[in-house]
Amino acid sequence: MGTMGPLLACSAGPLGASAGSPEVLLQGYRSCLHEALRVLVEAEGAPTADPRVLALTAHLTRRQAALEMAEESRRQHQHLQQSQLLQHYFRGVDLHYSR
């Protein structure tokens, strides 16, 4: 198997996980970064300061950070929507419990 063989495994996610879920996508980036660097450094003997290693690390790290920020933004937006929906449905209702 050539050096590209192990890199093809980067696209596979955990069994039973939704392929489109943010967690699977982020884990895929982490796995891909780890495996790509392993191949470059261990299999091909590239030094860690090699421009290919540095560029690939920077690219995948930036992309992973962007995905993490997008997921956090999505979660915050979803929480805000739920909060607004509850406020709408319970407008004018006294929810304080008294004995």
Side-chain angles (χ1 to χ4, degrees):
M1 167 163 65
T3 57
M4 290 306 291
L7 294 179
L8 296 177
C10 291
S11 62
L15 292 177
S18 171
S21 75
E23 296 81 18
V24 171
L25 189 59
L26 289 170
Q27 183 57 39
Y29 268 89
R30 289 182 199 107
S31 297
C32 190
L33 174 60
H34 176 78
E35 183 63 13
L37 293 177
R38 188 194 68 75
V39 169
L40 284 173
V41 174
E42 292 178 12
E44 293 186 10
T48 55
D50 185 290
R52 296 174 299 163
V53 174
L54 296 174
L56 183 61
T57 301
H59 169 73
L60 290 175
T61 301
R62 279 191 309 266
R63 185 66 182 130
Q64 178 181 331
L67 289 169
E68 288 171 343
M69 285 191 302
E71 175 58 15
E72 181 60 27
S73 177
R74 184 195 67 77
R75 277 193 217 126
Q76 288 177 358
H77 180 73
Q78 185 178 28
H79 178 73
L80 179 62
Q81 283 180 323
Q82 290 172 346
S83 177
Q84 289 171 338
L85 187 61
L86 288 173
Q87 287 175 2
H88 172 75
Y89 282 116
F90 292 105
R91 184 173 290 134
V93 176
D94 183 10
L95 297 175
H96 293 91
Y97 177 78
S98 61
R99 289 183 187 228

